[in-house]
């Protein structure tokens, strides 16, 4: 039996190596459009197997470049499967829509090729963005008003965003640098890493790791987490007020952060810290996870 198992594993490794050495044929389609922008307009993006980049510029227009890519060892198959990727680029009043999805034509088989759509979107900084993506990546920078995002199996990168943000992610990590405003994040099996924060944050997490890097800016943080660990890094953590509750977890902090424990039992640990002149409040409720506060 052990010999069979070893041979099977060896065969799978050979198959994987052979696949990685396969020469792929790549075919693509490029679409580019531009819309005049006026205050009150909104951009809606819905992707499937997509890499989406959203950034701002000084022009009072919204521009999208969409590249659809199909890869397969057989060129004819790659060309056929490219047609299974449908897209729409349209405007209805103040709503501008970009969308791609995979839908083979009637009678055609499911695509065998590796399919990917790459969006590059440029728009004014005050334009609200609604973004949805499955199986891919989203990179959004420099918005000043609003971002609402819903994603599954999508890595999310955010940089220099202001205003109202609402992020929902399943099976996709979130990395952000420079968020300022009112931020709501809900995740499931996703890690969160946030740097250079300012404003009000409301985070709900299940099955993930939350890492927060702050530098003394005004931050009010409310976190509710289940089976997740929360790390809080700040060079001067005593500047914040804390209300921490861990159900079946631990609370770890630097020696100079002297908590008052309202309860300190095996099932529940509840700690508070209220310094004078704090720059923000950190509230964490966690179940089956740990809270760790450290100097960076």
């Amino acid at each position: 039996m052990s010999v069979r198992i070893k041979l099977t594993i060896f065969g799978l490794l050979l198959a994987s190596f052979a696949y990685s050495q396969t020469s792929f044929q790549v075919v693509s389609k490029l679409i580019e459009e531009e819309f005049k922008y006026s205050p009150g307009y909104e951009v809606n993006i819905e992707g499937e197997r997509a890499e989406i980049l959203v950034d701002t510029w000084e022009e009072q227009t919204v521009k999208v470049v969409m590249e659809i890519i199909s890869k397969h060892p057989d060129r004819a198959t790659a060309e056929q499967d490219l047609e299974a990727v449908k897209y729409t680029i349209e405007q209805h009043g103040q709503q501008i829509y970009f969308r791609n999805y995979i839908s083979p034509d009637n009678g055609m088989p499911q695509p065998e090729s590796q399919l990917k759509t790459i969006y590059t979107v440029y728009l004014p900084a005050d334009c609200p963005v609604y973004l949805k993506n499955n199986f891919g990546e989203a990179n959004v920078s420099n918005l000043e008003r609003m971002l609402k995002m819903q994603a599954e199996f999508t890595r999310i990168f955010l940089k220099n965003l202001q205003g109202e943000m609402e992020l929902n992610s399943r099976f996709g990590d979130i990395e952000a640098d420079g968020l300022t405003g009112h931020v709501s994040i809900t995740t499931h099996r996703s890690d969160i890493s946030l740097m250079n924060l300012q404003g009000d944050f409301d985070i709900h997490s299940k099955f993930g790791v939350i890492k927060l890097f702050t530098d003394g800016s005004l931050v009010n943080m409310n976190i509710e987490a289940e089976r997740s660990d929360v790390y809080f890094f700040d060079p001067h953590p005593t500047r914040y007020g804390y209300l921490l509750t861990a159900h079946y977890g631990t609370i770890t902090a630097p020696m100079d952060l002297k908590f008052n424990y309202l309860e300190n039992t095996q099932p529940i640990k509840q700690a508070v810290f209220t310094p004078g002149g704090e720059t923000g409040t950190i509230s964490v409720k966690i179940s089956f996870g740990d809270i760790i506060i450290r100097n960076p």
Side-chain angles (χ1 to χ4, degrees):
M1 180 63 69
S2 61
V3 173
R4 288 183 179 178
I5 292 173
K6 291 179 180 179
L7 288 175
T8 300
I9 293 173
F10 183 68
L12 289 173
L13 290 172
L14 284 177
S16 175
F17 178 77
Y19 185 79
S20 66
Q21 299 300 309
T22 300
S23 176
F24 283 94
Q25 302 296 314
V26 181
V27 296
S28 64
K29 180 188 299 184
L30 190 68
I31 307 100
E32 182 175 336
E33 289 201 34
E34 196 164 327
F35 300 84
K36 290 184 177 180
Y37 174 80
S38 295
Y41 280 27
E42 299 175 351
V43 168
N44 299 265
I45 305 169
E46 184 173 346
E48 181 179 354
R49 301 189 198 178
E51 295 180 6
I52 301 172
L53 184 148
V54 179
D55 206 346
T56 63
W57 63 355
E58 298 298 325
E59 305 294 329
Q60 289 301 299
T61 58
V62 175
K63 180 179 180 179
V64 59
V65 178
M66 184 185 297
E67 184 179 12
I68 303 171
I69 300 171
S70 177
K71 296 172 59 177
H72 194 275
D74 177 63
R75 185 175 183 84
T77 301
E79 291 175 345
Q80 174 181 290
D81 290 346
L82 185 70
E83 300 306 314
V85 183
K86 306 298 190 293
Y87 68 91
T88 56
I89 298 177
E90 54 192 15
Q91 179 176 1
H92 297 285
Q94 295 182 320
Q95 308 293 321
I96 300 174
Y97 295 92
F98 308 139
R99 182 189 180 203
N100 81 284
Y101 58 98
I102 298 172
S103 178
D105 296 329
N106 290 336
M108 299 302 294
Q110 288 296 317
E112 300 177 4
S113 304
Q114 297 180 20
L115 299 174
K116 178 170 66 174
T117 300
I118 301 176
Y119 292 78
T120 304
V121 179
Y122 294 102
L123 39 71
D126 66 340
C127 179
V129 174
Y130 297 82
L131 193 157
K132 181 178 181 181
N133 194 40
N134 296 326
F135 299 97
E137 182 177 301
N139 193 318
V140 183
S141 303
N142 302 315
L143 298 180
E144 295 180 354
R145 186 175 175 188
M146 186 174 70
L147 171 67
K148 292 190 177 182
M149 182 182 299
Q150 182 175 339
E152 293 190 3
F153 299 96
T154 296
R155 293 189 65 189
I156 298 171
F157 302 92
L158 309 174
K159 188 173 180 63
N160 297 333
L161 302 183
Q162 301 179 37
E164 180 183 352
M165 286 156 264
E166 183 178 316
L167 312 172
N168 291 272
S169 177
R170 290 173 54 86
F171 300 95
D173 297 343
I174 298 175
E175 296 183 23
D177 186 356
L179 303 186
T180 302
H182 298 274
V183 183
S184 174
I185 301 175
T186 302
T187 62
H188 181 83
R189 296 193 182 277
S190 305
D191 294 339
I192 302 171
S193 178
L194 309 179
M195 302 177 62
N196 299 315
L197 313 175
Q198 187 170 351
D200 299 315
F201 292 76
D202 191 12
I203 299 175
H204 298 264
S205 171
K206 290 185 178 181
F207 302 97
V209 176
I210 302 171
K211 294 183 179 181
L212 309 171
F213 300 84
T214 57
D215 58 2
S217 299
L218 178 60
V219 175
N220 294 306
M221 186 77 61
N222 177 62
I223 300 173
E224 295 186 10
E226 180 180 338
R227 299 188 185 277
S228 302
D229 295 329
V230 177
Y231 291 83
F232 183 72
F233 299 92
D234 192 281
H236 305 286
T238 57
R239 291 185 291 191
Y240 296 88
Y242 297 88
L243 176 57
L244 310 178
T245 303
H247 294 264
Y248 300 100
T250 63
I251 298 174
T252 305
M255 294 294 293
D256 58 341
L257 190 54
K258 300 184 184 302
F259 282 114
N260 177 25
Y261 276 87
L262 305 180
E263 188 168 354
N264 191 5
T265 63
Q266 180 67 22
I268 300 177
K269 292 176 174 59
Q270 187 173 45
V272 297
F273 180 80
T274 309
E278 66 267 21
T279 60
T281 301
I282 309 297
S283 174
V284 181
K285 295 181 181 179
I286 194 168
S287 299
F288 300 98
D290 300 326
I291 302 170
I292 301 98
I293 301 173
R294 291 180 180 172
N295 300 107

